[in-house]
Amino acid sequence: MSQNSCFPSPPSTLMFTEEGKKMRKYGIKEHLQSPHTSTRTSAAREDGRSGNPRGGHCSGLSGGFKMSVPDYMQCAEDHQTLLVAVQPVGIVSEENFFRVYKRVSSVSQVSVRDSQRVLYIRYRHHYPPENNEWGDFQTHRKVVGLITVTDCFSAKDWPQTFEKFRMQKEIYGSTLYDSRLFVFGLRGEIAEQPRTDVAFYPSYEDSETVEKRVEDFIESLFIVLESKRLDRATDKSGDKIPLLCVPFEKKDFVGLDTDSRHYKKRCQGRMRKHVGDLCLQAGALQDSLVHYHMSVELLRSVNDFLWLGAALEGLCSASVVCHYPGGTGGKTGARRFQGSSLPAEASNRHRPGAQEVLIDPDPFFSPSRLAGALTTNGINPDTSAEIGRAKNCLSPEDIIEKYKEAISCYSKYKNAGVIELEACVKAVRVLAIQKRSMEASEFLQNAVYINLRQLSEEEKIQRYSILSELYELIGFHRKSAFFKRVAAMQCVAPSISEPGWRACYKLLLETLPGYSLSLDPKDFSKGAHRGWAAVQVRLLHELVYASRRMGNPALSVRHLSFLLQTMLDFLSDQEKKDVTQSLENYTSKCPGTAEPITLPDGLVLPPVPFTRLPIVRRVRLLNLPASLRPRKMKSLLGQNVSTKSPFIYSPIIAHSRGEERSKKIDFQWVQGDVCEVQLMVYNPMPFELRVENMGLLTSGVEFESLPAALSLPAESGLYPVTLVGVPRTTGTIAVNGYHTTVFGVFSDCLLDDLPGIKAGGSTVEVIPALPRLQISTSLPRSAHSLQPSSGAEISTNVSVQLYNGETQQLVIKLENIGMEPLEKLEVTSKILTTKEKLYGDFLSWKLEETLAQFPLQPGQVATFTVSIRVKLDFSCQESLLQDLSDDGISVSGFPLCSPFRQVARPRVESRPVNPTEGSKPGDPGHTKTLEAILHFKYSGGPGHSEGYYRNLSLGLHVDVEPSVFFTRVSTLPATSSRQCHLLLDVCNSAEHELTVSARSEDELILRAGECQRMAIQVDKFNFESFPASPGEKGQCANLKQLEEERQEARGLEINSKLDIRWRIPSLKRTGEASVEGLLSQLVLEHLQLAPLQWDVLVDGQLCDCEAAACHVGDPISLEVRLTNRSPRSVGPFALTVVPFQDHQNGVHNYDLHDAISFVGSSTFCLDAVQPSGQSACLGALLFLYTGDFFLHIRCHEDGSGKELPQSWFCLPSVHVRALQAQA
């Protein structure tokens, strides 16, 4: 629907200052351009007015009087009102006068006594006398009543006061029906004299009868009006009817032929129209319709266009009163009816599709016949009354057609501009009720181009304001805003000595809705942009300028901020720079705040947060670093059970939690710790954007925001910004948004107001304060970052390089850098998944010494020592060495009593073994890696009381290089049944020369890559006395695993007893050489002490390694003892003693019947022995010759011992040396 209209526009007034010139670029020009006319041009209108009327005389060329002041509030129903002027006489305060005026004007309608007619009164406290001269043309324009108000406090002032009243009456004397004087303050004899034209009141407060006096005054006006109506309506003077004229016509009718038929019809038509006006004012609605119809026919026949237009307008007004008893002037023009009944003339409505207008002055037609009660909706249920009324009342469509004809008639006369303008306004109000906006806009467009006299600036402002209101009335909001804006510009026109910037600003504010503008920035974040952005930008610039000229820089900052926030997408790069520069200039004197601004009229301007400077696309609350994250100690109830409810599960609680789950984060912040919120922002400006004082807006707990400042490059992409703060209390904190200072404007930007933002949650729980632990170590930091499978983060990584078997002490300093005491500490370790077989404890510590220093106050340091011991199996590198055999190995020569036992064979020089190319010992490819994590679980302070703790992890990376390893292990029997020889083939795989020693005795020197065999004499082991392995304690069902654990436990014990250590002199490093992984089952059996312990005593002396001495011919006792260390009963056994001699050449002589004689039997018998029990058998031998003899004791195979392992029958060989008998 087009809303274009054509009108001459006033000059803009923002261009006569330097700042106004600067703002031309935003669309404010020197003059508002006038579009082409859509109906007819101004020139054509001038031609029509200056030309002769059709068939008439040249009435438009006269320079007579014309109505000077249009009444823009005129409406059609005003034609039935009586005009009463209420004016002060003498000096009356404005407050007192308007108090009385308000009471007088409240009597706007009076029911005539003994009649159903109602008089309507229109009051004016100022009315131009020249307009009163048009009273004969339209009777509602003449002042028929005068009420004056005066103050008189003494009798001597009364004559002068009354004289002023008489002079006031003379101004409207030619048209007045009656007048009244209200005197306030006069007491005494004069005030007590009864008078009809004067009312005395002691004071303004003591004046209860004012309204009654006004009603009486209106009744007196009705009497005069009714008499005039009846006199004119029944005038039988015939040809002597006077010619009614408007002021500018009086000269034109001088010298005309008064006896012509044309002249008489003119007189009759004008008088009939005048009588119609009187009937309409007197409440005789139907009579007025009849007279108007007759007048129209008479005046049309003589081409009396000016009065024809008045008759048509009167006919329209009467029809409007008939159709719309509620009035067309809106709230101000609405009729207020007394009681529940209305006059019949005002109550009846015309039905659509009624008959054509017929002039039928039926003598039987009277208003009383049409009287009827109205229903609540204003429609007369008596349809028979409407049939008669339809003959004279215009239909709603005809009303508008007649208005068009009347306005066309007025347009032929230059001096009737005000009449034409007011007729257009009345037609618009009628069309607004009929909801015919397009036709109403045509009338308004015509009203715009009506050329009146040179109007004052105040009258121009009033004219444009009324046009704006009328366009608003018909729904043309943008056109209404345009005219209101023109009125605003007129307030500061260059011709005004004191421009009204406040009025200009107020009118500009009223134009905002018409241009789809709202001063609330929230309205611009919903949906697509509405309205013409270019016009909106221009209007906002005018608001900025007007507010500055008002002397209110805060308003200028607010409007300029609003412009930048809402119109950013529609500004060019240069305009963005100019606007921001202006904003910085304003804010340097008056910084922008985030508080609402309340104007004097009560309008509140909401704050304008810069949510687009910068634009925020994503907000994410960040969890604390892994080392600072609080963890809840496990409890039997679990974490999701509310301790306030006696029920384990409540559907009400579950439902409420489900609603909060979308906003609440599943991690916690800690009181007193720095918390972070990450924003993804970008700068839409074509220049670098400086954002100052950017911090968080929170609620729920006391929060100390730590503001940040940032500088974003021009038109940057998404840029991460982290805002930090410290919660000072516990509870649930909600991150509501952020605050910034951009271009000097402080903004509070709420997340709910940010369009298209992605937020993963805005609330998080703040738990009580916890201590903060910081660790430092004696080892260097590692370049290797450990990645545990659990996903836990490692706060610190350290590394160390060790040789296999070496032990390193790791000293850790624990410092409490928080504000709470550190009360609890637990240390655990976890070895990351590795394919390497690890022997012994990799990490070990004693926590008691550290805990003795607790509680650790803030700032204090405690030490904690961890022992790192690496024992890996490097025997897989055996393929790099030559096979070692008895023939190709060098065995160190040591005495038999030494741990390194010499092997009785020729010695061969040792030789180094050359590894293959690319696989040299010490090569990084042969280095093995161990990784472990130390977990420090600590707590303290209020957080500990609530069951929270923190976990700090230390990553340990150990590079293990090979030192020495054993390629082969075997055993040889020793001279004692309780001992054996352990043969070890040892190889130096390090790059340095090292020494190997056992039990801290003599050292074996090995060059790099060299291998040698070493023999160690060891006592056999009683494995049955070893502590049970973890698998045995847990009753492990896996037999294979149980056997492996047993073997590991035995190897550990053997290794500790051997105590084989290596030392690299050049590096001053030492370590342990382990044989745990090389001990086979067979070797373990050889090293194991038999469950059956056999002891042989010769002559009461235990014989095991040493030779027993005796004399030839002396019998010696032989005792065999058996100790049962097995868990079951054994025996009985039969033992046979077989003597022999060893000739040291591999030949044993068993034929010794002549040399040895048994005293008794050579077979011994042992009874059954219970577990842990003992049994013994005794015998005696007699040596006949000197020499070295050996006794071999064996068990009979056919006895009960055949069910036992052969290793259980390790009886020692007995060496007896027979000496010459003493003389």
Side-chain angles (χ1 to χ4, degrees):
M1 181 174 65
S2 173
Q3 297 186 13
N4 293 331
S5 62
C6 309
F7 59 93
S9 56
S12 177
T13 55
L14 294 180
M15 296 297 102
F16 50 86
T17 63
E18 290 299 323
E19 185 164 350
K21 295 178 182 179
K22 180 181 179 181
M23 297 174 67
R24 287 195 186 102
K25 67 182 75 174
Y26 301 116
I28 303 178
K29 300 181 180 179
E30 290 290 343
H31 300 278
L32 303 177
Q33 298 299 323
S34 301
H36 295 292
T37 59
S38 60
T39 52
R40 61 182 185 270
T41 63
S42 301
R45 292 173 56 83
E46 293 298 328
D47 293 342
R49 292 186 181 188
S50 59
N52 293 328
R54 290 179 293 171
H57 58 279
C58 183
S59 60
L61 297 177
S62 172
F65 300 99
K66 64 180 179 178
M67 194 178 303
S68 60
V69 181
D71 185 359
Y72 294 102
M73 303 306 295
Q74 282 269 326
C75 50
E77 55 268 24
D78 286 345
H79 282 251
Q80 66 175 346
T81 60
L82 297 176
L83 180 59
V84 176
V86 182
Q87 296 178 342
V89 172
I91 301 176
V92 181
S93 67
E94 183 177 350
E95 179 183 359
N96 290 334
F97 171 74
F98 280 103
R99 187 197 306 181
V100 176
Y101 179 81
K102 183 178 180 180
R103 296 180 62 184
V104 171
S105 60
S106 65
V107 188
S108 59
Q109 61 186 41
V110 177
S111 297
V112 181
R113 297 177 184 177
D114 302 328
S115 173
Q116 295 184 357
R117 289 188 281 178
V118 178
L119 288 182
Y120 296 97
I121 315 300
R122 190 170 87 257
Y123 297 95
R124 293 289 184 270
H125 56 80
H126 174 73
Y127 193 73
E130 58 268 25
N131 287 12
N132 194 46
E133 296 180 6
W134 289 69
D136 290 338
F137 182 71
Q138 289 177 326
T139 57
H140 72 284
R141 298 184 182 276
K142 70 169 63 174
V143 178
V144 298
L146 175 65
I147 298 177
T148 55
V149 180
T150 186
D151 287 338
C152 185
F153 301 100
S154 62
K156 64 178 182 180
D157 296 334
W158 167 242
Q160 183 180 2
T161 300
F162 190 78
E163 179 64 20
K164 292 180 180 178
F165 169 59
R166 188 188 62 80
M167 296 174 59
Q168 191 75 14
K169 288 195 296 183
E170 291 179 356
I171 298 177
Y172 306 105
S174 61
T175 60
L176 285 180
Y177 293 170
D178 201 357
S179 60
R180 292 289 186 272
L181 172 63
F182 289 169
V183 182
F184 293 89
L186 187 62
R187 301 173 184 268
E189 183 180 353
I190 299 177
E192 295 175 356
Q193 296 178 1
R195 302 188 58 166
T196 59
D197 59 340
V198 181
F200 294 96
Y201 297 99
S203 64
Y204 287 96
E205 290 76 16
D206 187 10
S207 57
E208 295 84 359
T209 61
V210 169
E211 290 81 359
K212 184 63 174 61
R213 291 292 186 104
V214 174
E215 291 181 4
D216 295 340
F217 173 67
I218 300 303
E219 289 183 358
S220 68
L221 296 180
F222 172 74
I223 295 174
V224 179
L225 172 65
E226 185 67 9
S227 64
K228 288 181 176 290
R229 182 183 75 85
L230 294 177
D231 290 343
R232 300 290 174 90
T234 57
D235 192 359
K236 304 299 183 182
S237 59
D239 295 339
K240 295 182 181 180
I241 298 175
L243 179 64
L244 301 177
C245 300
V246 295
F248 69 83
E249 287 183 320
K250 294 178 180 180
K251 293 183 181 181
D252 297 337
F253 291 119
V254 175
L256 291 180
D257 185 5
T258 58
D259 295 330
S260 65
R261 182 180 178 84
H262 188 279
Y263 181 81
K264 292 179 180 181
K265 280 190 175 185
R266 186 191 298 269
C267 293
Q268 292 175 0
R270 293 189 177 189
M271 182 57 68
R272 185 65 66 176
K273 185 265 173 193
H274 181 68
V275 173
D277 288 347
L278 296 177
C279 292
L280 184 59
Q281 286 183 309
L285 181 62
Q286 297 300 327
D287 291 347
S288 66
L289 289 170
V290 173
H291 289 292
Y292 282 138
H293 279 295
M294 296 176 65
S295 173
V296 167
E297 295 300 323
L298 290 172
L299 294 174
R300 182 175 282 120
S301 64
V302 295
N303 292 336
D304 193 353
F305 294 113
L306 181 62
W307 285 78
L308 173 61
L312 291 172
E313 186 180 356
L315 181 60
C316 292
S317 298
S319 300
V320 167
V321 170
C322 185
H323 281 288
Y324 311 107
T328 63
K331 295 182 179 180
T332 58
R335 302 304 184 188
R336 294 170 295 175
F337 298 99
Q338 298 175 354
S340 59
S341 62
L342 299 176
E345 296 85 355
S347 64
N348 297 322
R349 287 180 177 271
H350 176 66
R351 294 181 301 170
Q355 303 176 19
E356 292 294 326
V357 177
L358 299 176
I359 302 176
D360 185 15
D362 188 354
F364 299 99
F365 183 87
S366 66
S368 61
R369 295 179 60 187
L370 299 179
L374 285 177
T375 60
T376 56
N377 59 2
I379 303 299
N380 192 342
D382 186 3
T383 58
S384 61
E386 291 195 22
I387 296 176
R389 181 168 60 85
K391 297 180 180 180
N392 299 284
C393 181
L394 300 177
S395 67
E397 293 78 9
D398 291 338
I399 292 175
I400 303 306
E401 293 301 322
K402 297 305 180 183
Y403 262 125
K404 289 181 180 179
E405 185 178 354
I407 293 172
S408 177
C409 294
Y410 291 150
S411 65
K412 300 179 183 295
Y413 297 87
K414 182 182 298 184
N415 292 328
V418 173
I419 304 296
E420 180 185 0
L421 175 62
E422 292 181 356
C424 290
V425 172
K426 297 170 190 175
V428 169
R429 297 186 187 277
V430 175
L431 286 169
I433 293 181
Q434 297 180 359
K435 299 187 183 305
R436 297 162 65 179
S437 300
M438 287 302 297
E439 295 180 62
S441 67
E442 294 178 2
F443 280 93
L444 279 178
Q445 191 171 352
N446 182 75
V448 170
Y449 283 96
I450 295 176
N451 189 15
L452 302 178
R453 63 176 176 83
Q454 186 67 29
L455 299 177
S456 65
E457 300 301 334
E458 290 77 8
E459 290 173 336
K460 291 178 183 179
I461 295 172
Q462 182 187 14
R463 181 180 185 183
Y464 295 133
S465 298
I466 293 300
L467 286 173
S468 171
E469 294 178 7
L470 293 174
Y471 272 113
E472 183 70 25
L473 185 65
I474 64 176
F476 281 36
H477 304 295
R478 190 167 64 243
K479 188 68 73 69
S480 169
F482 175 80
F483 279 102
K484 187 147 295 189
R485 179 176 166 273
V486 173
M489 296 297 101
Q490 201 66 49
C491 292
V492 290
S495 58
I496 300 179
S497 58
E498 296 182 1
W501 288 106
R502 294 188 180 276
C504 172
Y505 178 80
K506 182 179 179 181
L507 289 173
L508 287 176
L509 284 181
E510 295 175 1
T511 65
L512 296 179
Y515 289 117
S516 301
L517 263 178
S518 167
L519 292 180
D520 190 351
K522 295 181 180 179
D523 296 337
F524 286 81
S525 61
K526 306 171 184 175
H529 187 87
R530 296 178 64 249
W532 293 348
V535 178
Q536 293 171 344
V537 171
R538 178 176 178 179
L539 179 60
L540 289 173
H541 275 295
E542 293 171 351
L543 279 173
V544 172
Y545 184 75
S547 58
R548 190 187 73 83
R549 293 300 300 269
M550 285 169 52
N552 195 335
L555 274 182
S556 301
V557 172
R558 181 60 52 87
H559 290 309
L560 205 54
S561 302
F562 182 86
L563 167 65
L564 195 59
Q565 167 69 16
T566 59
M567 300 295 167
L568 187 63
D569 295 337
F570 306 99
L571 298 177
S572 65
D573 291 350
Q574 185 59 40
E575 288 173 339
K576 292 177 182 177
K577 295 179 181 179
D578 294 340
V579 170
T580 54
Q581 183 179 359
S582 299
L583 183 59
E584 288 179 331
N585 292 336
Y586 284 131
T587 55
S588 63
K589 302 175 182 177
C590 180
T593 66
E595 300 297 329
I597 297 178
T598 303
L599 300 180
D601 58 356
L603 180 64
V604 178
L605 300 184
V608 182
F610 277 158
T611 58
R612 306 188 64 190
L613 295 172
I615 296 177
V616 177
R617 284 299 181 217
R618 187 181 301 112
V619 176
R620 184 165 64 96
L621 277 66
L622 300 182
N623 198 353
L624 294 174
S627 60
L628 298 179
R629 294 173 188 171
R631 291 170 172 83
K632 186 72 172 178
M633 297 180 183
K634 295 182 180 179
S635 63
L636 296 178
L637 291 177
Q639 304 306 317
N640 294 327
V641 179
S642 175
T643 57
K644 298 180 181 179
S645 173
F647 303 102
I648 295 178
Y649 172 78
S650 172
I652 300 177
I653 297 177
H655 177 71
S656 62
R657 286 175 179 168
E659 294 178 349
E660 299 175 0
R661 190 174 295 117
S662 59
K663 288 188 176 181
K664 197 165 185 179
I665 310 282
D666 58 355
F667 56 77
Q668 295 88 26
W669 285 349
V670 180
Q671 174 188 0
D673 282 3
V674 176
C675 306
E676 299 177 335
V677 177
Q678 186 184 71
L679 283 69
M680 299 300 295
V681 304
Y682 73 89
N683 174 21
M685 304 300 282
F687 50 84
E688 184 181 25
L689 181 64
R690 297 187 304 275
V691 182
E692 301 174 353
N693 192 34
M694 191 172 189
L696 294 173
L697 297 175
T698 61
S699 62
V701 303
E702 182 182 347
F703 187 81
E704 179 185 355
S705 178
L706 305 178
L710 60 144
S711 180
L712 298 175
E715 297 177 349
S716 66
L718 283 178
Y719 187 85
V721 175
T722 302
L723 302 181
V724 298
V726 179
R728 295 302 181 186
T729 58
T730 61
T732 300
I733 184 173
V735 178
N736 302 322
Y738 59 93
H739 62 80
T740 61
T741 301
V742 180
F743 305 128
V745 178
F746 185 82
S747 303
D748 287 340
C749 305
L750 301 180
L751 298 184
D752 294 339
D753 298 337
L754 301 180
I757 189 172
K758 296 180 181 179
S762 57
T763 61
V764 66
E765 181 184 2
V766 180
I767 68 166
L770 286 169
R772 291 183 60 183
L773 181 62
Q774 177 177 286
I775 60 176
S776 58
T777 69
S778 57
L779 297 180
R781 290 184 175 270
S782 173
H784 303 275
S785 180
L786 273 63
Q787 298 295 332
S789 57
S790 61
E793 297 183 16
I794 309 299
S795 58
T796 306
N797 291 275
V798 296
S799 64
V800 65
Q801 181 268 333
L802 298 177
Y803 285 95
N804 190 32
E806 189 176 3
T807 300
Q808 174 79 31
Q809 298 298 321
L810 171 61
V811 180
I812 301 175
K813 290 184 178 180
L814 308 176
E815 182 180 0
N816 183 6
I817 61 173
M819 303 302 295
E820 302 295 333
L822 200 159
E823 302 171 1
K824 299 293 182 180
L825 176 65
E826 295 181 12
V827 182
T828 58
S829 65
K830 181 181 180 181
I831 301 176
L832 302 185
T833 303
T834 176
K835 298 179 181 180
E836 304 299 335
K837 181 64 175 177
L838 183 63
Y839 299 97
D841 293 332
F842 176 39
L843 300 175
S844 60
W845 59 83
K846 292 182 179 180
L847 190 59
E848 293 75 12
E849 298 178 0
T850 303
L851 294 179
Q853 307 175 49
F854 278 42
L856 200 62
Q857 298 299 326
Q860 291 185 350
V861 180
T863 57
F864 176 64
T865 304
V866 177
S867 179
I868 307 173
R869 180 182 298 171
V870 290
K871 289 196 295 183
L872 298 178
D873 184 8
F874 279 85
S875 60
C876 59
Q877 296 187 3
E878 185 179 0
S879 59
L880 301 177
L881 308 173
Q882 294 182 353
D883 292 335
L884 301 177
S885 62
D886 292 343
D887 298 333
I889 193 71
S890 174
V891 181
S892 301
F894 295 102
L896 289 177
C897 60
S898 171
F900 295 93
R901 180 174 176 179
Q902 182 179 4
V903 180
R905 61 178 58 177
R907 179 171 181 173
V908 181
E909 293 295 331
S910 62
R911 61 177 182 271
V913 180
N914 296 323
T916 58
E917 183 179 356
S919 299
K920 295 193 301 180
D923 193 303
H926 299 147
T927 300
K928 296 186 178 183
T929 300
L930 286 177
E931 292 180 337
I933 300 176
L934 279 172
H935 296 287
F936 297 86
K937 179 180 176 182
Y938 65 96
S939 183
H944 175 64
S945 303
E946 296 293 330
Y948 289 96
Y949 69 94
R950 278 175 168 160
N951 196 3
L952 186 62
S953 298
L954 173 64
L956 178 61
H957 178 90
V958 181
D959 291 324
V960 184
E961 296 188 6
S963 54
V964 298
F965 65 91
F966 303 98
T967 60
R968 181 179 302 170
V969 179
S970 60
T971 59
L972 288 176
T975 55
S976 173
S977 62
R978 296 173 180 269
Q979 294 180 332
C980 70
H981 292 284
L982 187 64
L983 302 180
L984 302 173
D985 293 345
V986 60
C987 178
N988 177 14
S989 58
E991 296 180 344
H992 306 274
E993 183 183 87
L994 55 76
T995 63
V996 180
S997 64
R999 300 175 183 173
S1000 301
E1001 302 212 4
D1002 297 336
E1003 295 181 339
L1004 175 67
I1005 300 176
L1006 294 175
R1007 293 187 296 272
E1010 183 181 6
C1011 291
Q1012 290 192 30
R1013 174 171 292 174
M1014 61 186 299
I1016 305 175
Q1017 180 178 303
V1018 295
D1019 295 331
K1020 291 188 177 182
F1021 298 89
N1022 182 13
F1023 294 135
E1024 301 298 335
S1025 64
F1026 287 177
S1029 64
E1032 292 176 316
K1033 291 181 180 179
Q1035 297 180 356
C1036 179
N1038 190 336
L1039 297 180
K1040 183 179 180 181
Q1041 182 180 355
L1042 179 59
E1043 185 62 29
E1044 289 179 355
E1045 291 180 356
R1046 287 177 177 174
Q1047 189 167 338
E1048 288 181 6
R1050 294 169 181 174
L1052 180 61
E1053 179 68 16
I1054 295 172
N1055 194 70
S1056 63
K1057 292 291 182 64
L1058 293 178
D1059 191 21
I1060 304 175
R1061 304 191 63 81
W1062 56 263
R1063 185 172 61 88
I1064 303 178
S1066 60
L1067 300 180
K1068 297 182 180 179
R1069 301 177 73 168
T1070 181
E1072 179 184 355
S1074 175
V1075 297
E1076 294 179 43
L1078 301 175
L1079 299 177
S1080 64
Q1081 185 64 30
L1082 180 60
V1083 173
L1084 290 175
E1085 291 180 0
H1086 290 167
L1087 293 175
Q1088 183 178 7
L1089 192 63
L1092 299 181
Q1093 180 178 339
W1094 302 90
D1095 296 321
V1096 180
L1097 289 80
V1098 177
D1099 198 16
Q1101 303 261 336
L1102 184 63
C1103 290
D1104 190 6
C1105 299
E1106 302 295 334
C1110 68
H1111 293 90
V1112 175
D1114 293 337
I1116 60 172
S1117 62
L1118 178 65
E1119 182 182 358
V1120 179
R1121 294 178 184 177
L1122 172 60
T1123 303
N1124 184 11
R1125 300 180 183 275
S1126 68
R1128 67 179 192 175
S1129 177
V1130 296
F1133 300 106
L1135 303 176
T1136 301
V1137 179
V1138 179
F1140 69 93
Q1141 279 186 320
D1142 186 2
H1143 295 292
Q1144 298 295 323
N1145 57 358
V1147 177
H1148 291 177
N1149 181 18
Y1150 290 92
D1151 187 12
L1152 298 177
H1153 298 288
D1154 296 335
I1156 299 176
S1157 175
F1158 286 91
V1159 180
S1161 176
S1162 62
T1163 300
F1164 299 86
C1165 292
L1166 288 174
D1167 296 331
V1169 184
Q1170 299 300 322
S1172 302
Q1174 282 187 348
S1175 179
C1177 60
L1178 297 174
L1181 292 89
L1182 183 62
F1183 290 90
L1184 304 178
Y1185 296 98
T1186 61
D1188 289 327
F1189 299 93
F1190 294 90
L1191 302 179
H1192 177 59
I1193 305 174
R1194 67 174 183 270
C1195 184
H1196 290 191
E1197 296 181 359
D1198 55 352
S1200 60
K1202 62 181 180 180
E1203 299 176 358
L1204 300 176
Q1206 190 65 31
S1207 60
W1208 286 28
F1209 300 95
C1210 297
L1211 279 77
S1213 295
V1214 180
H1215 182 198
V1216 180
R1217 181 170 297 158
L1219 302 176
Q1220 186 67 36
Q1222 295 180 357

